[in-house]
Amino acid sequence: MELDQPSKQQAISELLTQNPISSRLLDVYSAFRERREILGLSNPGTVEGIGKEVQRDVFLNNLSFSGLRAELTKAFSIAPLFQVSHSLAMGSQLSPPYTYNALYGSPKVFLQGSLDNDFQFSGRFNYRWTQALVSKTSAQLTSQGNMISLENDYTGADFSASLKAVNPSLLDGGVTGMVMASYLQSVTSKLSLGVDAFWTRPASQYPPELNVSYAARYKAEDWMACGQIVPDRGVLEGSYWRKLSEKVETGININLAFAGIGPGGPMGGAQKEGSVTIGAKYDFRTTSFRAQIDNQGKVGCLMEKMIAPPIRVTFSAEIDHKVNAAKLGLAVAIEAADPDMMEPTEAQQSGSETGSIPF
């Protein structure tokens, strides 16, 4: 007698749930899940952003620049987010003279593309499958070479997992490119532990290389400490962040490299290198000031001033005493939007889910 489809599904479900082995595994998993819920653990973030309070909020990483810059942004809507911008730069070897950028964002989709005067293109496409799973794709097409990145991020209630591939290929007689996998788990309400694996193979004639790092993060109410270690490379990095007041934050980062000690280190004896960077951030009513100094004699500062709601001025300065060089930068950004368009859109946004664009 042939069973219909619902009967087959019911039989399979009973086999899995009434089986002594599977039933025992389900009981263990249920007990483990209940204990995690009792602890009230929160999501710890990602391994990549384990020191975000120091690297992104205090330090000048990816913020300092040189030369003159001007940026005009026009917002056409807020929900969904859609805006275009024109950027002009002069006196900088890193920034192209002109860049056109377009951005679109909704709770499920994020699109961003930029094209400069040399027709070099970079774009990002993110898609949210569920509230926990987001796929991210980025591509860069330049005269120096092309790059594509594929990433999947899963954000659980008390953990984060990520799998990323950069320039993956099967056309060279084997798997080439870079693959990165990371996992960060909350152990207590303040402590989280994680692991990060980095696999690389530039070409099929080279053997693959795998480096595994271990991370730990402790976040209190007004301070944070984190660290990462790569045993195969002999690399140790630690960060400490402290919120002194509502407007003042400080941070320190220490990076030690003992080249030649680990199995993956170069031959020829151990070499010790290290860097220490200290920074601070001051937030005033309409101004934000950042400053940092490292043990190599490099001093930098960045000041952002909101002159009026649509106009923001940024001043950047850096002095490298080791090479006797200095860099100065000044940027003006103007964000324009139609007031008649903004008011109904904001009202619509207040009733929808905010902050859910998969950037």
Side-chain angles (χ1 to χ4, degrees), residues 5 14 50 62-63 66 126 135 147 186 204 235 252 257 280 283 310:
Q5 188 66 21
E14 291 177 355
I50 193 172
N62 301 324
L63 295 176
S66 61
N126 301 347
S135 296
M147 188 201 76
S186 291
S204 60
V235 176
I252 181 173
D283 287 325

Side-chain angles (χ1 to χ4, degrees), residues 78-79 106-108 128 131 348-357:
I78 300 298
S106 69
K108 281 189 172 294
R128 184 188 301 277
Q131 287 298 322
Q348 178 183 358
Q349 184 186 16
S350 62
S352 61
E353 184 182 4
T354 60
S356 58
I357 297 177

Side-chain angles (χ1 to χ4, degrees), residues 8-9 12 14 18 61 80 84 93 113 131 133 160 165 179 194 199 208 212 229 247 252 285 292 324 330 351 355-356:
K8 289 182 179 180
Q9 295 178 355
I12 295 175
E14 291 177 355
Q18 297 180 3
N61 301 341
V84 298
Q93 297 180 352
Q131 287 298 322
L133 180 62
S160 294
V179 178
W199 182 93
V212 179
I229 182 173
K247 298 181 178 181
I252 181 173
R285 188 172 63 89
Q292 72 179 43
N324 195 21
L330 179 64
S356 58

Side-chain angles (χ1 to χ4, degrees), residues 90-114:
M90 183 175 62
S92 174
Q93 297 180 352
L94 301 178
S95 300
Y98 173 77
T99 304
Y100 175 80
N101 183 77
L103 183 149
Y104 173 85
S106 69
K108 281 189 172 294
V109 176
F110 174 74
L111 283 167
Q112 184 180 22
S114 62

Side-chain angles (χ1 to χ4, degrees), residues 24-293:
R24 178 58 179 171
L25 293 176
L26 290 175
D27 292 341
V28 172
Y29 175 75
S30 298
F32 177 69
R33 184 178 60 181
E34 291 177 359
R35 292 183 179 180
R36 288 167 59 182
E37 293 177 352
I38 292 175
L39 292 175
L41 303 179
S42 59
N43 184 271
T46 62
V47 175
E48 183 180 3
I50 193 172
K52 61 181 180 179
E53 289 86 354
V54 177
Q55 301 292 342
R56 301 180 185 177
D57 297 343
V58 176
F59 285 177
L60 309 182
N61 301 341
N62 301 324
L63 295 176
S64 60
F65 61 95
S66 61
L68 300 177
R69 294 194 321 187
E71 181 176 349
L72 175 61
T73 302
K74 172 67 175 180
F76 294 94
S77 67
I78 300 298
L81 177 63
F82 177 61
Q83 65 182 34
V84 298
S85 63
H86 305 269
S87 299
L88 301 173
M90 183 175 62
S92 174
Q93 297 180 352
L94 301 178
S95 300
Y98 173 77
T99 304
Y100 175 80
N101 183 77
L103 183 149
Y104 173 85
S106 69
K108 281 189 172 294
V109 176
F110 174 74
L111 283 167
Q112 184 180 22
S114 62
L115 185 68
D116 63 18
N117 56 286
D118 292 329
F119 297 101
Q120 298 185 123
F121 173 81
S122 64
R124 296 169 57 195
F125 172 70
N126 301 347
Y127 186 81
R128 184 188 301 277
W129 302 95
T130 65
Q131 287 298 322
L133 180 62
V134 176
S135 296
K136 301 179 180 180
T137 305
S138 63
Q140 292 183 358
L141 307 178
T142 66
S143 58
Q144 289 79 19
N146 303 327
M147 188 201 76
I148 184 170
S149 172
L150 307 174
E151 183 177 2
N152 289 284
D153 295 339
Y154 189 88
T155 305
D158 57 0
F159 73 93
S160 294
S162 176
L163 179 63
K164 183 178 182 180
V166 179
N167 285 347
S169 176
L170 296 172
L171 304 177
D172 197 18
V175 180
T176 59
M178 293 182 291
V179 178
M180 291 153 280
S182 64
Y183 181 86
L184 187 63
Q185 171 72 56
S186 291
V187 180
T188 67
S189 58
K190 297 180 179 180
L191 177 64
S192 56
L193 303 176
V195 61
D196 181 84
F198 178 79
W199 182 93
T200 179
R201 190 181 187 186
S204 60
Q205 59 266 29
Y206 297 100
E209 182 178 353
L210 176 64
N211 291 310
V212 179
S213 64
Y214 305 93
R217 170 184 166 92
Y218 190 91
K219 178 68 167 65
E221 183 178 356
D222 57 353
W223 64 275
M224 182 278 303
C226 66
Q228 283 185 277
I229 182 173
V230 188
D232 292 341
R233 284 293 183 183
V235 176
L236 176 63
E237 183 176 6
S239 299
Y240 178 79
W241 170 83
R242 179 83 180 189
K243 189 171 185 178
L244 302 179
S245 66
E246 291 296 328
K247 298 181 178 181
V248 182
E249 303 175 28
T250 61
I252 181 173
N253 178 265
I254 300 176
N255 189 294
L256 303 176
F258 303 92
I261 293 182
M267 302 299 293
Q271 299 177 357
K272 300 179 182 180
E273 297 180 356
S275 63
V276 180
T277 305
I278 302 175
K281 178 184 178 183
Y282 299 84
D283 287 325
F284 302 98
R285 188 172 63 89
T286 59
T287 305
S288 176
F289 179 78
R290 309 176 193 223
Q292 72 179 43
I293 184 173

